[in-house]
Amino acid sequence: MKKIYIAGPDVFLPKSRYQKSKEEKISICRKYGFEALHPLDDSFSTAEEIANANFALIDKCDIIVANANPFRGQEPDSGTMCEIGYGIANNKQIICYIENTTPMY
């Protein structure tokens, strides 16, 4: 079974009726024959611990699906971009999504 790492700032956002929960995302992946690996941002206290734990999950995955929507400004979440870069450096398949493609200029 292929593994998908779910990247994005969603863990920092308040739950809305439009946002899928961690459990819903895991269920959707399972429905289509994938195992979901979810970021561990709430399990550690320092940025280094979080990064190392999430990089370990990326090492185990085949695909990264990343929310590249603007976060806290006009750019995507910096942590998500770091995870994408780490995935690229480790030959992972990367799939990004963004809801609004209107130019920012």
Side-chain angles (χ1 to χ4, degrees):
M1 177 181 296
K2 286 199 172 193
K3 296 177 181 171
I4 295 176
Y5 178 81
I6 302 171
D10 308 60
V11 295
F12 305 114
L13 299 172
K15 177 79 171 101
S16 76
R17 64 186 178 123
Y18 302 108
Q19 183 182 343
K20 301 277 189 234
S21 70
K22 174 181 174 179
E23 292 75 24
E24 288 171 311
K25 291 175 186 176
I26 290 169
S27 178
I28 291 167
C29 288
R30 189 176 303 121
K31 176 181 174 181
Y32 291 99
F34 296 96
E35 179 183 344
L37 304 177
H38 205 275
L40 301 170
D41 294 31
D42 57 355
S43 301
F44 298 95
S45 57
T46 70
E48 183 177 11
E49 290 172 333
I50 292 167
N52 288 334
N54 290 340
F55 290 158
L57 289 177
I58 292 170
D59 288 340
K60 296 177 186 177
C61 82
D62 302 289
I63 303 165
I64 296 174
V65 175
N67 176 350
N69 284 296
F71 181 67
R72 296 182 181 154
Q74 293 186 333
E75 299 177 345
D77 173 56
S78 57
T80 302
M81 294 301 104
C82 182
E83 291 169 338
I84 289 169
Y86 184 83
I88 290 169
N90 288 281
N91 300 309
K92 304 299 179 177
Q93 181 179 357
I94 311 293
I95 301 168
C96 296
Y97 63 92
I98 187 167
E99 295 170 12
N100 184 347
T101 58
T102 304
M104 291 184 267
Y105 51 87

